[in-house]
Amino acid sequence: MVGSVGAELEVSPSIVEMNGKVETNGKVEPLPEEIVPVIPIVLAENGANEDQKVIREIVLGRNVHTMSHAVTEPEADDEITGEREAWMASVLAKYRRSLIERTKNHLGYPYNLDFDYGALAQLQHFSINNLGDPFIESNYGVHSRQFEVGVLDWFARLWEIENHEYWGYITNCGTEGNLHGILVGREVFPDGVLYASRDSHYSVFKAARMYRMDCEKVSTLISGEIDCADFKAKLLRNKDKPAIINVNIGTTVKGAVDDLDLVIETLKGAGFSEDRFYIHCDGALFGLMMPFVKRAPKVSFKKPIGSVSVSGHKFIGCPMPCGVQITRLEHINALSRNVEYLASRDATIMGSRNGHAPIFLWYTLNRKGYRGFQKEVQKCLRNAHYLKDRLRAEGIGAMLNELSSTVVFERPQDEEFIRQWQLACQGSIAHVVVMPSVSVEKLDDFLNDLIEKRKTWFQVGKVQPSCIAVDIGNENCACPQHK
């Protein structure tokens, strides 16, 4: 019998890196060459030019976990002794304790961890699958489409489109929302060129590869917003082809919001009428925060946009990855196909879809409503400004976009510190995404730890903080040159 109550967690044949080798069951063996492809990550540090860029490597096969839980076959007498059930319970209890600890130091990724869905535990005994079209009944009866459509109607009101004019569904993640929005654009304009800023989420460029689309990467401003001057130049270079545009309602790293109105104005200024472009708005995080920010530009289907997507596991706080995708009903027929097996139609990316997710979203929307979300947005923005101001007061370069709760600052020198606080990093910068679950107390703990660690990293006369002006602007950098 593997494992027992109170025993240490059973570890499967572990793979632990040791100077380019792996330790397997206590024996050190070289890593097989076929599992260690090297992915060069080219980074510009300290304002370096092309010839001075630093290359960091991600080595697949070496960046591995040091522990895994073995799956073992039950013994014949397990049903009598109950030993296996007790062992599994102990494994899960320890795992739960580790989740509690890791949640305490969760700062770099945009997930709201402040939720309580205890009332929905009664539904975990059911296999709820929302396969097919949310608006068409199918032969599969264990579904939650009534909740799904209710959630979609709520977002349709938020983004100002009538119920009879939209189509949408609850996706399995934010990436699926982008894949679907860009696919609809491609179906509307099969020969269209996809335009996306360099700061767009990686899923946008994944979509371009998957759909074999011509794709133009557009430059960005220091803020991370799309550079509409470069956008116009690229439009004019392809003026004979329709345009499919990804507009960011909050970029991944800097939380920058592309100016939707300026994008539309640029399209028209380059000679693109509304029947020659399709706009997908990636609102993964800020798509639900923007409506509650004063003076923020409005994302609305009253403007000539084609689709909007938002993640459900980010600001809303759903415990499983999910998202909402809404497009114009007039566009969806190009994707829809009758599926006799389901007795329904389907225009989604995936087949089976998580039927629990719409219920979780419905539950939160009903509990909080517009006023509840407005309060949480204000709290996030207030705490983000607190973090930025304290970083600046400590001589740490930091930037916060006006409409954002993502605070960008110089990348910590210690990778262990980065892992401890689960920071998201890119090149010479890192960020903290201030969510409703991020309190001032948690930010103080992070700041106090960072300040103490910096005393070790930057000893007087030895090492100076790096220049990140190229990433966040001279006025936000705190290196010796820009202080």
Side-chain angles (χ1 to χ4, degrees):
M1 174 69 199
V2 178
S4 59
V5 180
E8 290 298 313
L9 296 183
E10 181 67 19
V11 180
S12 67
S14 59
I15 303 176
V16 184
E17 185 198 353
M18 296 178 62
N19 299 322
K21 299 181 179 181
V22 292
E23 180 181 0
T24 307
N25 288 339
K27 297 180 180 179
V28 178
E29 301 174 358
L31 280 167
E33 292 184 4
E34 64 269 19
I35 69 165
V36 288
V38 175
I39 303 175
I41 307 297
V42 181
L43 308 170
E45 293 194 344
N46 300 327
N49 59 36
E50 287 292 327
D51 298 328
Q52 298 172 318
K53 285 186 176 179
V54 177
I55 295 182
R56 291 181 183 153
E57 295 178 348
I58 296 176
V59 184
L60 302 182
R62 291 183 185 172
N63 302 334
V64 295
H65 291 288
T66 58
M67 189 177 194
S68 63
H69 299 305
V71 175
T72 59
E73 296 301 317
E75 295 181 359
D77 62 349
D78 279 348
E79 293 183 4
I80 300 173
T81 64
E83 187 176 2
R84 173 167 291 268
E85 293 293 331
W87 167 69
M88 289 191 295
S90 72
V91 171
L92 294 174
K94 289 182 180 180
Y95 174 61
R96 183 178 184 276
R97 288 197 294 272
S98 74
L99 291 178
I100 292 172
E101 286 303 311
R102 297 309 284 143
T103 297
K104 289 179 182 177
N105 289 357
H106 187 279
L107 286 179
Y109 295 89
Y111 305 131
N112 180 7
L113 306 180
D114 184 16
F115 51 76
D116 181 2
Y117 291 103
L120 303 183
Q122 59 187 314
L123 303 179
Q124 293 180 6
H125 301 286
F126 301 97
S127 176
I128 308 175
N129 192 329
N130 282 8
L131 40 76
D133 191 306
F135 301 93
I136 300 176
E137 197 66 50
S138 78
N139 289 338
Y140 190 83
V142 188
H143 63 79
S144 64
R145 281 191 287 271
Q146 62 273 51
F147 292 93
E148 183 172 21
V149 173
V151 170
L152 293 171
D153 285 347
W154 189 91
F155 278 95
R157 290 194 299 274
L158 185 71
W159 294 325
E160 299 184 318
I161 185 169
E162 297 297 325
N163 286 5
H164 65 277
E165 294 179 341
Y166 87 86
W167 185 91
Y169 73 105
I170 305 299
T171 63
N172 289 304
C173 61
T175 288
E176 186 181 348
N178 287 339
L179 291 178
H180 191 275
I182 293 170
L183 178 60
V184 173
R186 202 280 308 271
E187 291 299 295
V188 173
F189 297 118
D191 61 338
V193 176
L194 175 63
Y195 298 85
S197 81
R198 295 184 179 277
D199 281 25
S200 298
H201 191 262
Y202 65 85
S203 62
V204 174
F205 305 109
K206 178 192 290 188
R209 294 194 303 272
M210 288 175 65
Y211 304 147
R212 297 290 192 267
M213 298 173 69
D214 291 335
C215 181
E216 292 277 6
K217 280 189 178 182
V218 182
S219 299
T220 53
L221 308 176
I222 283 290
S223 65
E225 296 175 53
I226 189 170
D227 182 346
C228 280
D230 186 52
F231 177 43
K232 185 173 184 178
K234 288 180 166 61
L235 283 171
L236 293 173
R237 207 160 62 198
N238 301 287
K239 59 184 178 181
D240 58 325
K241 293 185 177 181
I244 301 165
I245 308 96
N246 177 77
V247 169
N248 294 303
I249 313 302
T251 57
T252 310
V253 175
K254 296 182 179 179
V257 177
D258 293 339
D259 189 331
L260 175 59
D261 294 329
L262 183 57
V263 167
I264 295 170
E265 181 184 319
T266 302
L267 282 160
K268 293 181 177 179
F272 286 76
S273 55
E274 291 184 11
D275 61 349
R276 294 191 63 239
F277 66 78
Y278 179 98
I279 296 175
H280 169 67
C281 298
D282 176 10
L285 172 59
F286 291 106
L288 187 52
M289 298 178 70
M290 285 276 289
F292 308 108
V293 179
K294 292 180 180 178
R295 300 183 303 279
K298 182 176 285 189
V299 176
S300 168
F301 278 93
K302 290 183 178 180
K303 301 176 181 180
I305 63 175
S307 54
V308 184
S309 63
V310 66
S311 294
H313 56 290
K314 293 180 179 173
F315 183 74
I316 296 176
C318 192
M320 73 277 290
C322 62
V324 175
Q325 160 70 358
I326 284 183
T327 186
R328 296 182 186 273
L329 182 61
E330 64 189 84
H331 296 324
I332 210 62
N333 284 336
L335 279 179
S336 294
R337 296 292 183 272
N338 291 326
V339 184
E340 182 181 2
Y341 173 74
L342 304 178
S344 180
R345 286 176 66 79
D346 183 51
T348 65
I349 295 287
M350 309 302 288
S352 293
R353 293 183 288 111
N354 187 339
H356 288 270
I359 304 172
F360 280 78
L361 295 176
W362 175 89
Y363 186 82
T364 297
L365 295 178
N366 275 282
R367 280 192 65 196
K368 295 182 179 179
Y370 289 103
R371 289 187 178 181
F373 286 126
Q374 185 174 40
K375 289 179 181 178
E376 291 195 335
V377 168
Q378 292 170 351
K379 172 188 172 184
C380 291
L381 295 179
R382 188 167 57 248
N383 289 352
H385 279 278
Y386 172 80
L387 173 59
K388 181 207 68 175
D389 292 343
R390 280 218 48 197
L391 286 167
R392 293 271 191 87
E394 294 294 337
I396 302 171
M399 180 186 80
L400 173 63
N401 276 308
E402 181 183 2
L403 303 174
S404 176
S405 67
T406 298
V407 180
V408 183
F409 56 99
E410 64 185 53
R411 180 180 184 139
Q413 299 292 306
D414 185 355
E415 293 298 316
E416 182 57 37
F417 179 87
I418 290 171
R419 283 192 294 271
Q420 177 189 348
W421 288 99
Q422 300 168 65
L423 302 178
C425 302
Q426 180 174 286
S428 299
I429 57 175
H431 76 205
V432 164
V433 184
V434 179
M435 289 280 92
S437 54
V438 177
S439 63
V440 169
E441 290 75 22
K442 180 180 283 191
L443 292 176
D444 281 337
D445 288 343
F446 165 73
L447 286 161
N448 292 337
D449 194 14
L450 177 61
I451 293 165
E452 282 301 309
K453 291 292 196 304
R454 282 171 60 84
K455 293 177 182 178
T456 303
W457 302 337
F458 305 123
Q459 296 180 24
V460 179
K462 291 189 177 181
V463 181
Q464 294 292 331
S466 58
C467 175
I468 54 174
V470 68
D471 295 299
I472 65 173
N474 294 349
E475 68 278 12
N476 297 314
C477 184
C479 75
Q481 179 183 349
H482 293 109
K483 273 187 176 179

